[in-house]
Amino acid sequence: MKLLIYDRDITLSDSVKEKYDRVIFADGRYAPCQGCFKCWTKTPATCVMKDSLHEMCRIIGLTDDLVIVTENWYGGYSPVIKNILDRSIGMSTPMSTYRHWQMHHVLRYGRYNSARIYVTGDISDKEKETWKLMGQRNALNWGVSDVEVIFSDPFSDGEGADL
Amino acid sequence: MKTVFIDCSPKKRLSASGFIMGLTELFVLGKKKNEKLRTPADHERILSEISDAETIVFSMPLYVDGVPSHLLPFLKKMETFCREHNKTFNVYVIANNGFIEGKQNEPLMRIMENFCDRSGIKWCGGLGIGGGVMMNVMRILLVVFLGIAVLRTILSLINEGSFFPVRPWIVFGNQILEVLALGCGIITFDIWFANCINRKKEYGKHYTRIMLPSFVFIICADLFFTIISVFQGGIFRGWFSRKKPTE
Ligand SMILES: Cc1cc2nc3c(=O)[nH]c(=O)nc-3n(C[C@H](O)[C@H](O)[C@H](O)COP(=O)(O)O)c2cc1C
């Protein structure tokens, strides 16, 4: 499955939508993670908060190729995107393993192929370095084989034709 | 000198961030104030609390290799506040994470440093602690162990008329020593961290952890989540299954 998650309130062209199996606009109309771990221990792969992110971990978990478009916030994701990622830890299981000699969780849905992260907005050189590290860390955490962080705005043409 | 400590865990009670913040506070001198940041309703109160502070200590969990999402809007407001009022705070960060390697907090530390750069305030460094959940469980267990020792003392008073039975307190003493041994890295780094706050010195970035080999830690973590999942029932509801979205 190919998934696009983006945080800009913009109308995507049909040609962009056709490239993806699922397109999610991060509208921010959902609660942040409460850190209860119940998506592991009580209702696996389901968040106990019943809003639009209730089953988001299943969608991200089943993804083979993930594309994220996020505004830069201090070298990390925008809050609306980060909220989605925080609420999706159910895509792994609570059991632990080693990846690259470091502790990580066993993935519920196995590894996925690629993640491409477009970072938009004003960004300093130091923040770019943070982003590069973030991309590598996320790839390990999520079990992504190939991760790419791109500092350019795919919506610069108004409808995201580059995506 | 006023120091404001902000517990940024979204948990209402018993957060590891709150615990390590409290421990740090013990070693920090001067006027201190504790704040809890969970929702946007906390923002204005905290901004007014920090307005006359010299030092701010953020304590937070690592979420998906970064800062928890609910903290970001506050950081943005604080950035504007600092710029508008020309603030020059000293900012220190304590981060704790679930995995054993404290070093996994590095991207979070960099984000907080970038936040300080944009806000024009002073990044004084951070302490990253691996095995935060275990640290939290251990301190809760210590209270439980203390309760057991007190209970056994009362029972021996009732049953045998002995006012101070030695055995339960030897057991409790051993338990304290074990916890101290596992937490010695955290305690040492934390005292050093607090010392830097007191002297308004830069701490740099340092990482520590629960003092266990990682394979032992993994066994403990797996056991912990298995027991909780049995009690909460998740183990019987497709614990590992690859569930598909229902809609
Ligand atoms: C949504 C979420 C994401 C997390 N991501 C990570 C992570 O990427 N790496 C890690 O080591 N621990 C991770 N953890 C574990 C927390 O950092 C750990 O449980 C921490 O001790 C919680 O601190 P608190 O009790 O102060 O909230 C995550 C926990 C949650 C709930």
Side-chain angles (χ1 to χ4, degrees):
Chain A
M1 184 170 89
K2 239 184 136 183
L3 171 67
L4 168 67
I5 306 176
Y6 64 105
D7 63 0
R8 184 94 53 86
D9 194 358
I10 196 169
T11 314
L12 296 181
S13 66
D14 287 343
S15 64
V16 172
K17 284 191 200 149
E18 276 162 17
K19 287 192 217 160
Y20 294 90
D21 300 291
R22 207 154 182 155
V23 172
I24 293 169
F25 167 50
D27 60 10
R29 283 194 233 145
Y30 31 74
C33 175
Q34 297 300 305
C36 68
F37 290 129
K38 287 192 178 142
C39 55
W40 283 342
T41 58
K42 187 171 183 182
T43 54
T46 319
C47 178
V48 287
M49 286 187 281
K50 303 256 184 288
D51 56 16
S52 58
L53 301 186
H54 179 53
E55 292 184 347
M56 184 53 77
C57 68
R58 302 183 184 194
I59 298 169
I60 299 189
L62 284 165
T63 296
D64 300 306
D65 299 295
L66 172 67
V67 176
I68 297 177
V69 182
T70 175
E71 196 191 336
N72 167 50
W73 277 54
Y74 310 118
Y77 298 95
S78 65
V80 285
I81 297 279
K82 186 64 175 31
N83 199 337
I84 293 181
L85 302 177
D86 288 355
R87 290 275 301 276
S88 298
I89 58 163
M91 71 189 202
S92 60
T93 74
M95 295 294 106
S96 297
T97 181
Y98 287 103
R99 277 200 286 284
H100 281 242
W101 303 101
Q102 273 188 356
M103 186 180 167
H104 285 282
H105 285 292
V106 174
L107 300 164
R108 183 182 300 277
Y109 297 90
R111 298 178 72 88
Y112 56 97
N113 294 336
S114 73
R116 210 162 3 119
I117 306 163
Y118 287 94
V119 184
T120 67
D122 168 36
I123 180 161
S124 69
D125 288 344
K126 226 165 140 185
E127 286 169 342
K128 281 186 181 165
E129 290 309 309
T130 308
W131 263 112
K132 285 177 196 158
L133 177 68
M134 181 66 78
Q136 289 163 12
R137 300 299 317 167
N138 286 168
L140 265 183
N141 225 341
W142 301 335
V144 181
S145 322
D146 178 21
V147 71
E148 199 182 353
V149 180
I150 303 160
F151 302 108
S152 97
D153 186 350
F155 295 126
S156 50
D157 62 348
E159 52 182 22
D162 285 351
L163 279 169
Chain B
M1 175 181 115
K2 176 177 170 186
T3 306
V4 177
F5 292 85
I6 310 176
D7 170 5
C8 308
S9 168
K11 288 181 192 157
K12 278 195 188 129
R13 292 176 300 120
L14 293 178
S15 70
S17 309
F19 167 66
I20 190 70
M21 186 177 104
L23 185 71
T24 313
E25 221 185 309
L26 290 178
F27 304 105
V28 172
L29 310 171
K31 195 173 167 199
K32 291 171 266 186
K33 183 80 192 141
N34 278 0
E35 284 295 347
K36 177 98 190 132
L37 198 167
R38 288 187 59 242
T39 71
D42 299 319
H43 293 182
E44 290 310 319
R45 191 192 69 247
I46 298 176
L47 285 181
S48 93
E49 193 58 63
I50 62 173
S51 59
D52 61 342
E54 192 175 353
T55 301
I56 299 168
V57 181
F58 287 93
S59 183
M60 68 184 80
L62 178 73
Y63 273 15
V64 193
D65 303 310
V67 306
S69 68
H70 74 280
L71 175 60
L72 289 163
F74 175 78
L75 296 182
K76 199 53 115 194
K77 271 192 200 161
M78 187 169 155
E79 179 193 330
T80 314
F81 175 82
C82 292
R83 293 225 161 270
E84 279 173 1
H85 297 88
N86 258 330
K87 290 288 177 191
T88 50
F89 302 120
N90 296 327
V91 174
Y92 296 85
V93 171
I94 312 172
N96 84 93
N97 63 316
F99 299 137
I100 184 74
E101 301 90 5
K103 187 93 189 83
Q104 295 206 28
N105 289 296
E106 174 69 21
L108 178 153
M109 292 297 173
R110 293 201 193 176
I111 287 175
M112 291 305 289
E113 185 173 352
N114 296 334
F115 152 72
C116 291
D117 287 352
R118 281 196 182 257
S119 309
I121 54 184
K122 191 171 171 205
W123 164 252
C124 294
L127 169 62
I129 299 170
V133 180
M134 186 160 188
M135 173 182 74
N136 212 13
V137 170
M138 279 183 345
R139 62 107 175 206
I140 295 167
L141 278 181
L142 258 194
V143 178
V144 173
F145 292 150
L146 174 67
I148 293 173
V150 170
L151 196 71
R152 286 179 64 188
T153 308
I154 295 171
L155 284 179
S156 90
L157 183 65
I158 296 168
N159 294 338
E160 295 151 30
S162 147
F163 272 100
F164 194 77
V166 179
R167 178 103 192 101
W169 294 100
I170 290 182
V171 172
F172 183 56
N174 278 336
Q175 286 159 341
I176 292 183
L177 286 180
E178 279 161 22
V179 168
L180 286 179
L182 292 174
C184 64
I186 299 174
I187 296 167
T188 315
F189 275 84
D190 197 47
I191 293 175
W192 175 16
F193 181 80
N195 193 28
C196 288
I197 296 177
N198 289 332
R199 294 163 58 195
K200 296 176 201 149
K201 264 185 58 182
E202 287 188 24
Y203 177 70
K205 274 184 288 191
H206 296 281
Y207 299 102
T208 183
R209 59 189 266 175
I210 292 283
M211 292 298 156
L212 270 182
S214 64
F215 71 94
V216 178
F217 184 87
I218 287 182
I219 295 170
C220 296
D222 286 356
L223 264 175
F224 171 78
F225 278 116
T226 306
I227 293 167
I228 305 262
S229 302
V230 168
F231 279 106
Q232 296 192 339
I235 220 165
F236 314 109
R237 298 189 191 108
W239 205 34
F240 284 164
S241 78
R242 297 172 173 223
K243 296 180 182 170
K244 297 212 165 64
T246 48
E247 82 281 353

